[in-house]
Amino acid sequence: MRSIEHFINGSALSDATRSGDVWNPSQGEVQATVGLGTATTLDLAIDAAKAAQPAWAATNPQRRARVMFNFKALIEAHMDELAELLASEHGKVIADAKGDIQRGLEVIEFCCGIPHALKGEYTQGAGPGIDVYSMRQPLGICAGITPFNFPAMIPMWMFGVAIACGNAFILKPSERDPSVPVRLAELISEAGLPDGILSVVHGDKEMVDAILDHDDIKAVSFVGSSDIAQYIYSRGTANGKRVQAFGGAKNHGIVMPDADLDQVVVDLAGAAFGSAGERCMALPVVVPVGDDTAAALREKLVPAIEKLRVGISTDPEAHYGPVVNAAHKQKVENYIQLCADEGGELVVDGRGFTLQGHEKGFFVGPTLFDHVKPHFRSYQEEIFGPVLQMVRADSFEEAVRLPSEHPYGNGVAIFTRNGHAAREFAARVNVGMVGINVPIPVPVAYHTFGGWKRSGFGDTNQHGMEGVKFWTKVKTITQRWPVGTAAGDHKEAFHIPTMG
Ligand code: NAD
C-alpha cells in the first residue's frame, strides 16, 4: 500500500512511529497510509527552515515572485493530476477539485505581485530635515494547520503569502487527504524554492501541539472546526505567537419576496449540496421572508433537489460525491435524525443512500427540512453535510437578526432585486462575508477572507493585504542627516521629541 511521507528540506522523509489511514471515500476503502510525525519530525523541519530562511528573506522580492510565477505554471501543467489525486482522497467531484486548486492558484497569482505589496510607506520632511519610512519584514519561521475540505486552496492561502513575504513555512495538512499538499510542495520546489523554505509534516494533535509549543515558530495560521480553532488560538497566543484561527460556519441564504426564485433554486442547489455540503462557505440554511415566498420556493426546490445526481468523484455527471469518511456520514445522519426529533419537517430524506456498484462509499443523499426553528440544536450547530434547513422569517428584520444572532458568522447571502434592502442588509448583518445575489461569496485573492464570531479567532484575515500584514512585521525608521552643525550648536533635549 502507498505510504505518504513528510516533505522536509526538499525531499521525502519517513519518520513516524504511528500512521493513519487515508481513505478513498467513493469506494469506502483505505488507499494509503500516512506517517504521523512527532516533535522530533518537527525539529527536522525547523532545522532546515532555520538554515534556509535568512538567505530567502534577503532574496529580493522580485526573485521571490519569479518562483511564484514558475509555481503557477507548474500547477496549471499538473492540474489534471492534482485534481484526480485530490478527488480520490477527499471525495469531491473532479470539476470541484479543479475549483479548489484554481482558488489556491489565484492566491499564488496575487503572490506574483508581492514586490508591490511589500513597498512600505515614506514621508519626506516629517520634521525639520527628518524623513520617516516603514518596511515590512518577514517573521522568520511560520506554520499552517489546515482542514480536509480544501486540501489545495487553504494551504496555498497560507504558504503562498507567507513564503512570498520571505518567511520559511511548515505546513501540517489534514491527515485525511495529505497527498496534494505534498505534491504542491514538490512542485514549488521544482519551481525554484530553496530547500527548507516549505516543509510538510503530517500528524494529528501531537504534531499540532508541538507546533504550538515550538519557540522558533513565530506565527500560526489555522483553519478547521471552531473548538479546535479556539484551542489553537488560546495555546498559540499564550506561547507568544501571532495566531489567526478560522472555524466552522452555518451560513444563511436570505430569500426576499422579490427574488428571482428560479435563480435562487439553482444557486441553492450548488451552494447547499455542492461538495456534499463540506464547505465552510456552503449555504446550509435558507431563510425565505414571508410564508408566500417559502411556499413558492419550496415548490420549486423539492423537484430540483430530487434531481440531484450523487456519484463517485470521477463521475463527470455527478453533482456531488461522498462525504469524507464513515464517521462523518454517521454524524450527518445523526443530525438529520436530531432535526426531525426537534420538530423539523423532513421534506427530502437523504439517509440510507447507496450507490450501485459503490455500496461501501460514504454517500449521503440530499436532504431538505422545512419549519426549522432557531432554538433547534441542529440549527445552532454545523452539520457539514448535504442538508438544507429552511427557517421561515416573517420580516426583513427577522432575516437580518437570524444570521446576526447565530453563533457562527462566516458568510451570508441575500437574494433580492431591491438595492436598498441589499444595501441595508450588507451594512447591518453581523457576519464577515456577504453575498448579494451571490450564493458563495468567497472573496477573490486580492481581497481578504475571514469570518466573525465563532468562525474566526484573531483579528487578521487570510490573503490579500491582510495576509501580507499577518505574515510580516512593520519596522518604522525615522532618519535625519544633519549637515554642518557648528561646534557648540549641539543641543540637548530632555522632552519627548516633537516635530515642531
Ligand atoms: P478539524 O478541526 O477536525 O481539523 C483541522 C486541523 O486540525 C487538521 O489539520 C487536524 O489534524 C487538526 N486537529 C484535529 N483535531 C485536533 C485536536 N484535537 N487538536 C489539535 N489539532 C487537531 O477540521 P476538519 O474536519 O478537517 O475540517 C472541517 C472544518 O473546517 C469545518 O468545521 C469547516 O467549517 C471548517 N472550515 C473553516 C473554514 C474557514 O475559513 N472558516 C474553511 C474550511 C473549513
Side-chain angles (χ1 to χ4, degrees), residues 191-215:
L193 189 72
D195 292 349
I197 295 298
L198 176 62
S199 288
V200 182
V201 294
H202 302 295
D204 50 17
K205 180 171 167 43
E206 185 179 345
M207 178 61 84
V208 171
D209 287 347
I211 290 172
L212 294 173
D213 293 345
H214 205 295
D215 282 345

Side-chain angles (χ1 to χ4, degrees), residues 45-304:
I46 296 275
D47 288 347
K50 264 189 188 165
Q53 195 267 336
W56 179 242
T59 301
N60 73 54
Q62 199 159 0
R63 282 181 184 269
R64 295 203 300 260
R66 279 187 200 133
V67 173
M68 295 293 160
F69 276 105
N70 294 342
F71 183 39
K72 165 185 156 59
L74 283 170
I75 295 172
E76 282 164 346
H78 290 266
M79 179 63 89
D80 290 341
E81 171 213 325
L82 288 166
E84 274 165 35
L85 191 57
L86 195 159
S88 83
E89 292 183 359
H90 177 283
K92 61 178 78 175
V93 296
I94 297 286
D96 197 27
K98 287 188 177 169
D100 184 337
I101 299 160
Q102 178 64 31
R103 288 309 294 253
L105 178 57
E106 289 168 11
V107 173
I108 301 305
E109 288 170 341
F110 169 76
C111 296
C112 291
I114 205 71
H116 181 67
L118 289 175
K119 276 190 320 211
E121 296 177 327
Y122 189 93
T123 302
Q124 197 215 0
I130 292 178
D131 308 321
V132 179
Y133 63 96
S134 65
M135 55 178 77
R136 292 205 158 268
Q137 296 191 321
L139 303 175
I141 305 175
C142 304
I145 301 157
T146 53
F148 81 85
N149 70 323
F150 279 100
M153 175 182 82
I154 294 179
M156 284 192 269
W157 279 359
M158 298 177 183
F159 78 68
V161 184
I163 286 174
C165 288
N167 298 288
F169 197 86
I170 296 171
L171 173 67
K172 204 302 285 173
S174 171
E175 63 276 36
R176 298 190 214 168
D177 46 11
S179 290
V180 165
V182 172
R183 202 62 199 105
L184 291 172
E186 289 168 354
L187 290 175
I188 199 168
S189 179
E190 196 180 324
L193 189 72
D195 292 349
I197 295 298
L198 176 62
S199 288
V200 182
V201 294
H202 302 295
D204 50 17
K205 180 171 167 43
E206 185 179 345
M207 178 61 84
V208 171
D209 287 347
I211 290 172
L212 294 173
D213 293 345
H214 205 295
D215 282 345
D216 289 327
I217 295 177
K218 302 301 174 203
V220 175
S221 180
F222 172 88
V223 177
S225 50
S226 290
D227 288 348
I228 313 285
Q230 190 164 16
Y231 165 75
I232 303 278
Y233 187 76
S234 309
R235 188 160 173 164
T237 50
N239 284 335
K241 298 186 196 316
R242 187 179 287 191
V243 182
Q244 54 175 199
F246 295 95
K250 191 92 177 192
N251 306 323
H252 295 52
I254 312 303
V255 183
M256 296 296 286
D258 64 354
D260 173 351
L261 289 189
D262 292 318
Q263 185 61 47
V264 170
V265 166
V266 172
D267 286 346
L268 279 177
F273 302 106
S275 199
E278 291 174 326
R279 289 185 187 135
C280 65
M281 289 295 275
L283 270 190
V285 178
V286 59
V287 182
V289 176
D291 275 336
D292 289 350
T293 313
L297 178 66
R298 178 169 159 170
E299 198 182 317
K300 288 174 186 280
L301 197 53
V302 173

Side-chain angles (χ1 to χ4, degrees), residues 336-355:
I336 296 174
Q337 187 60 47
L338 174 67
C339 190
D341 292 345
E342 289 177 309
E345 181 193 350
L346 185 50
V347 184
V348 183
D349 186 355
R351 286 173 299 178
F353 181 96
T354 48
L355 193 65

